[in-house]
Amino acid sequence: MDGIGNNMQKKAAELERLAEVLVTGEQLRLRLHEVKVIKDRRHHLRTYPNCFVAKELIDWLIEHKEASDRDTAITIMQKLLDQSIIHHVCDEHREFKDLKLFYRFRKDDGTFPLDSEAKVFMRGQRIYEKLMNTENTLLQTREEEGGTYERALVGSEFIDWLLQEGEMAAREEAEQLGRRLLEHGIIQHVTNKHHFANGPLLFQFRMNFRRRRRLIELLHERSRCIPESQDSPFCLRKLNSDGGNTSFLSVSPTKEIKVAVGVRRSSMSSSCGSSGYYSSSPTLSSSPPVLCNPKSVLKRQVSPEELQTLGGPFIKKTFTIVGDAVGWGFVVRGSKPCHIQAVDPGGPAAAAGMKVCHFVVSVNGLCVLSHDYRTVSSLILTGPRTIVMEVMEES
């Protein structure tokens, strides 16, 4: 099939916006459970399990800078209510009110309306997470028609994997699932020229389910003009001038423009533009698109030998970091050795004591002094939720 029609593209954009609401709502639900904002509550001798108080939640959203004021917080939560992600515990209020009223995520009481569209996104997210969390060779850097594409999978191999994992029972059903994933904007052909098929064509996940969404994004109806890297949203992408190709190309670290990779399943706001290389601004706020090459935080590059010199100016530190619902909260960059480029001040890494400019020595007992950011990122992203990292800090 040569190209995707305008109607399909419009539908994919609408479905992608729906997916963003679903994923953002789920990330918020997990965070609220973690900090006990969602819990069992009593009122008039009755217990309401797994609910939150609207007024308290608005306070929390403002305190955690998810909303600038109470009106904005109400608008955000109303968006989730309109999409049937949350509801009043007795379904007596169709508006989200800044009062001591109990609301609940429908996923917590089994009333989430799993229509056909939502089911596709849930299926896509489960497949994405399974691919990211298990050892497989499906997602690799591959070439097609003279272009090199990171984390690309072959259509026929993807079908083989779906059958092997028990996701589908027959090849025809697996191929149909692949087509539905593409039509819903979850995967795409690397040059956006073909529909999904059981063959040698390459496809990429267009959605990064692990990127941490800012709630304020729910109020922005614009669709993303570039896909997100599955390693991190903190990396450079190339857009073709015709605007038709939304896939991203790999960039060699030896080139003038370097690639930074974030080791967080969440992270920083994506940015986009009409042409050229773009990267995300290293900030956790919702930032405008910028054209930039993220500069290293290092004052000077050091060698592995210098780091390991006895009596040298570096001291070794060990951190045990337990990932939260959205990741570990740091960005790694560089090569031989890699270094910590950025740390989310509210993330698990910061809580453990990690700082920018730390040099990465080992990940879960494996020495990585001679590896680049791609290897280090892969070790963390495909490893356990709890990671043990040895770093070197200049004394």
Side-chain angles (χ1 to χ4, degrees):
M1 177 177 176
D2 188 13
I4 300 176
N6 291 333
N7 290 337
M8 186 178 291
Q9 288 183 338
K10 290 179 181 179
K11 179 182 178 182
E14 293 174 358
L15 293 172
E16 186 176 358
R17 285 192 289 270
L18 172 60
E20 288 299 321
V21 175
L22 293 173
V23 175
T24 303
E26 177 62 7
Q27 289 182 353
L28 176 61
R29 186 183 73 88
L30 294 174
R31 291 174 68 193
L32 295 180
H33 270 290
E34 187 173 349
V35 298
K36 308 300 182 184
V37 172
I38 293 177
K39 59 184 178 182
D40 295 350
R41 300 175 185 271
R42 289 184 63 82
H43 182 66
H44 289 170
L45 303 180
R46 179 180 175 182
T47 298
Y48 296 87
N50 292 324
C51 62
F52 59 88
V53 179
K55 193 174 187 68
E56 293 179 4
L57 176 60
I58 291 175
D59 293 339
W60 186 89
L61 292 174
I62 294 174
E63 178 184 351
H64 289 79
K65 303 187 185 305
E66 291 288 356
S68 58
D69 51 57
R70 305 191 78 81
D71 287 341
T72 302
I74 292 172
T75 303
I76 290 172
M77 297 310 298
Q78 184 65 44
K79 185 87 170 181
L80 296 181
L81 193 149
D82 291 341
Q83 295 290 335
S84 295
I85 292 174
I86 64 171
H87 69 121
H88 179 254
V89 292
C90 298
D91 290 318
E92 295 176 352
H93 300 276
R94 295 186 178 182
E95 295 181 354
F96 191 85
K97 299 180 178 181
D98 189 2
L99 299 171
K100 291 184 178 180
L101 296 174
F102 291 173
Y103 291 83
R104 183 186 291 127
F105 280 82
R106 288 189 177 275
K107 194 167 183 180
D108 283 332
D109 61 13
T111 62
F112 187 80
L114 282 177
D115 57 20
S116 59
E117 310 295 1
K119 286 180 180 178
V120 174
F121 290 119
M122 296 298 182
R123 189 75 172 274
Q125 184 170 16
R126 186 176 76 245
I127 290 172
Y128 176 93
E129 291 295 340
K130 186 182 289 188
L131 278 171
M132 296 297 290
N133 291 328
T134 58
E135 291 186 7
N136 62 76
T137 58
L138 205 64
L139 297 173
Q140 295 186 29
T141 299
R142 302 176 186 270
E143 294 185 358
E144 182 176 299
E145 296 181 356
T148 302
Y149 304 93
E150 294 182 346
R151 290 187 176 270
L153 53 85
V154 179
S156 59
E157 293 181 3
F158 183 46
I159 289 177
D160 292 339
W161 182 86
L162 290 172
L163 296 174
Q164 178 184 332
E165 293 295 318
E167 290 289 340
M168 304 303 290
R171 297 195 73 81
E172 295 78 9
E173 295 176 358
E175 183 174 7
Q176 186 61 33
L177 174 60
R179 294 176 71 86
R180 295 196 70 192
L181 293 177
L182 187 144
E183 291 166 2
H184 284 68
I186 297 172
I187 65 173
Q188 68 173 15
H189 178 247
V190 290
T191 60
N192 211 29
K193 292 180 179 179
H194 302 279
H195 210 316
F196 183 83
N198 179 15
L201 295 175
L202 300 183
F203 300 87
Q204 292 170 314
F205 275 88
R206 188 164 181 260
M207 288 191 65
N208 180 358
F209 290 99
R210 291 179 168 184
R211 178 180 72 85
R212 177 171 172 175
R213 274 72 173 170
R214 300 282 297 180
L215 290 175
I216 196 68
E217 294 178 34
L218 294 179
L219 306 184
H220 299 160
E221 293 300 327
R222 56 179 172 77
S223 61
R224 296 191 311 274
C225 55
I226 52 174
E228 300 156 294
S229 160
Q230 278 66 39
D231 274 338
S232 164
F234 191 39
C235 73
L236 301 175
R237 299 142 171 124
K238 184 177 182 180
L239 292 174
N240 286 351
S241 57
D242 60 9
N245 182 358
T246 58
S247 60
F248 59 91
L249 301 177
S250 62
V251 182
S252 171
T254 60
K255 299 290 181 66
E256 180 180 355
I257 297 181
K258 298 180 180 179
V259 179
V261 168
V263 188
R264 186 161 201 188
R265 285 177 257 172
S266 65
S267 152
M268 307 159 184
S269 305
S270 295
S271 55
C272 54
S274 59
S275 63
Y277 284 96
Y278 284 75
S279 77
S280 298
S281 175
T283 172
L284 294 170
S285 63
S286 190
S287 54
V290 290
L291 177 62
C292 65
N293 176 22
K295 294 182 179 179
S296 171
V297 295
L298 297 179
K299 294 181 180 178
R300 67 183 183 90
Q301 183 64 37
V302 302
S303 66
E305 293 74 22
E306 185 177 354
L307 287 178
Q308 296 175 300
T309 301
L310 293 177
F314 296 95
I315 56 175
K316 181 179 291 187
K317 292 188 174 183
T318 303
F319 301 122
T320 299
I321 307 171
V322 181
D324 60 18
V326 292
W328 298 272
F330 63 95
V331 173
V332 66
R333 188 181 176 186
S335 176
K336 302 179 182 182
C338 299
H339 65 273
I340 303 303
Q341 174 73 10
V343 178
D344 176 358
M354 182 173 285
K355 300 177 182 178
V356 296
C357 297
H358 279 164
F359 291 96
V360 183
V361 176
S362 69
V363 176
N364 293 331
L366 179 65
C367 179
V368 295
L369 284 173
S370 61
H371 297 301
D372 64 8
Y373 68 90
R374 297 180 189 274
T375 302
V376 175
S377 298
S378 178
L379 284 173
I380 296 172
L381 287 169
T382 60
R385 182 180 179 185
T386 299
I387 58 174
V388 179
M389 294 185 63
E390 289 184 337
V391 302
M392 285 292 195
E393 179 181 87
E394 192 164 11
S395 58

